[in-house]
Amino acid sequence: KEYGGQDNLVKYGAVFEVMAQHDVSLLIKFGVQFGLFGSSIHLLGTEKHHKKYIEALSKAELLGCFAMTETGHGSNVRGIETTASFDKNTHEIIIHTPNHQAGKEYIGNALDSTMSVVFAQLIVDGENHGVHAIVVPLRDANHELLQGITVKDNGYKMGLNGVDNGRIWFDQVRVPSENLLDKYGAIDAEGNYQSSIANPSKRFFTILAALVGGRIFVGVAGNSISKKALSIAIKYALKRRQFNNAPDQEETLLLDYPSHQARLMPLLAKSYAIHFGLAYLRDQFVTEAMDRRKVETLAAGMKAYSTWHCTHTVQECREACGGKGYLAENQFAYLKADSDIFTTFEGDNTVLMQLVAKGLLSEFRQEFHDEGYRAVIRILAEKISGSLTEINPAFTRKTDASHLLDSDFQYQSFKYRERKMLVSVGERMQRLLKRRVNAYDAFLRTQTHMIALAHAYIERIMLKSFLVVIENMDEGEAKKLLIKVKDLYALSTIQENKGWYLECDYMHGSKTKAIRRVVANLCKELRAEATVLVDAFDIPNELLAAEIVVEK
C-alpha cells in the first residue's frame, strides 16, 4: 500500500481470471510486468529496491521482464549457466553469458522492456553461491540497447503473438552490487557474501518458492479459458439442431444427444472442481495458513492439472462445435493457440507433477522420521483395514445408486487411490535403494508411478475442496445442483481410472459398469441445468465474443 497498491492478491487473481477471457497476449504481458518482474523485486528484494522500483513499475512507467529460463536449461533452473561475478575492486556485479546456449530464452516483454530481473549463478571470491536475482538495465532513455546486451525476437509462434518473446545475451555487463535482490543472499560493504539461510539447497528453493504465486494464477487463467470454451460450446449446443426422427418433427438439439452430453458435461463438472481447488489453494497462499512447502506442492499440481484440462477442454469444445468451431470468429482458434503454451510455461507440467510427487514422498518420509515404528504400525493397520473393510465382495460389488452417489464412498475411493500409490512408490524406491541403486536411477525407474500419484493427490484435493463448499452452503436448489456436479466429477474421475481400481481389486467389473450408467444419468440430468451452470461463470457476451452464441 505504501507504494500505491491495494495489497490484495485476491483482486489480482480476479483481474487475471477475467483478462484470460479477453486477450491472452495482454494477460501474459500483464503477468510478466506485475506478476514476475514486479513480484521478484517485491519478494526477493529489500526496502531499497522497493523504494527505487515498485511505484514506477506499478504504474508501468518502468517496463520490465523476467530472465530466468535458458536455451540449454529449460526446467533445470539450478543448472543455468549465466554468471553474476562480484568485482571487489569496483563493487560491481558482472553479468555474463558464457555460451550461446546459456542465452535467456522465451523472455516475455524482452523487446519492450527497459530493465530485467536476471537469474544467474552468483560468484563471490571465486565461490559459487548458487542462483540469485539481479536487476539489470537493458535500454537507455532512447530505448537503445545498452553496451554488452543482445536481444533477438523469438519470431512468430504458434500463438500469443501479441507477446514480444525474445532471447537475451549478456557480454560482461556491469551493474552496481546494490542491484542484487538480497533478501536471501547479500554482499556486505566489505565484499563478503552473507545469507540467513546457510544451506545452499534450501536457499535456492526458498528463492524459487517466493515466486509460487505465478503458478497459482496461471492455473486460474487456464481454468478461466476452459470456462469460456465450455460456455461457447454448451450455449451453441442449446441452439444448434441436427437430424430428426421423422420429417414432420423438429430436429434434435445437439445437447440432447447422449454422446454430446458425455463429451461436455464431465468437462464442465471438472472445471467446477478445479475452480474450488484453486480457490482453496489461493486462500491458503494469501492467508499463509498452510506450510509454505505444501503450498508449493499444491500450486505445482494445480497449475499442471488445470492447464492440461484447459488444453483438452478447448479441443473437445472446438470439435463439439463442428466446422463453426474452426472459424476464428468463434474464438477457439485464439483460445487453442494462445493457451497451449500454458502446459509448459511457469514449469513444464510433467516436471511439475514430479515435483508434487517428491513433495508427497518427503512428507511420507517425515512421518517415519517423526513417528518411527508407530508410522510403520499405522500404515500396516491402514493396509489391513483396507483389506477388511473395503477390499471384500460386499464392497467391491456394491452397485446401488445410493452407495455410488454417497460422498463418503467417493472421497474414500479417491483417498485410497492416493494413499496406496504413495505407499507403493515409497516401497519401490526403498527396495531399489536397498539394492544399492543410486537415488537418481531409483527416481527414473519410478518416474511414471510418481506422476500417477501426483494426479491422484490433486484430484483428491479438488474433491475435498468441492465437498467443503457444498457443506457450507445453505439448503436449497443451488446446493442440490452442485451436489450433482460434484457427483459427476467424482464418478467420471473414478471411471477414467477404472483400470487401476480393477487391477487393485478395489472394484469389481459390475461396479465400474454401474458407475458408467450413473455417469450417463448424471450427464442427462445436468443437461437440463446446462444454461444455469455456464451462466454461473458470469462471462459477459463482450468477452465470449463468439458469433455462434452472441445475440445480434
Side-chain angles (χ1 to χ4, degrees), residues 154-171:
N154 271 122
Y156 199 70
K157 306 182 293 289
M158 186 173 163
L160 288 182
N161 286 299
V163 181
D164 53 328
N165 292 105
R167 299 179 70 185
I168 307 176
W169 294 267
F170 303 92
D171 185 8

Side-chain angles (χ1 to χ4, degrees), residues 316-328:
E316 194 65 51
C317 289
R318 202 294 295 163
E319 292 181 27
C321 292
K324 285 288 188 182
Y326 201 65
L327 295 176

Side-chain angles (χ1 to χ4, degrees), residues 392-457:
N392 65 79
F395 177 86
T396 61
R397 295 174 183 270
K398 195 170 185 181
T399 59
D400 57 282
S402 60
H403 167 66
L404 300 179
L405 295 172
D406 180 66
S407 292
D408 187 56
F409 155 69
Q410 294 165 2
Y411 185 70
Q412 290 304 321
S413 297
F414 278 52
K415 190 176 178 181
Y416 177 83
R417 175 168 154 247
E418 177 197 350
R419 189 65 177 180
K420 184 171 177 61
M421 282 188 175
L422 177 60
V423 172
S424 175
V425 74
E427 288 175 341
R428 279 188 66 194
M429 292 194 85
Q430 188 178 36
R431 285 196 300 271
L432 289 166
L433 294 172
K434 280 185 176 179
R435 285 163 42 195
R436 299 187 182 279
V437 174
N438 68 58
Y440 184 72
D441 286 338
F443 160 71
L444 291 180
R445 293 193 195 184
T446 57
Q447 193 176 34
T448 54
H449 195 158
M450 291 173 72
I451 293 169
L453 163 63
H455 276 272
Y457 164 70

Side-chain angles (χ1 to χ4, degrees), residues 4-23:
Q6 294 184 29
D7 195 20
N8 192 322
L9 275 172
V10 176
K11 284 187 178 180
Y12 176 84
V15 171
F16 223 77
E17 182 169 6
V18 176
M19 201 176 286
Q21 295 164 356
H22 169 59
D23 186 299

Side-chain angles (χ1 to χ4, degrees), residues 478-490:
K479 184 171 184 175
K480 290 177 183 177
L481 178 54
L482 266 192
I483 289 172
K484 286 186 180 181
V485 177
K486 178 271 301 178
D487 288 337
L488 180 55
Y489 162 66

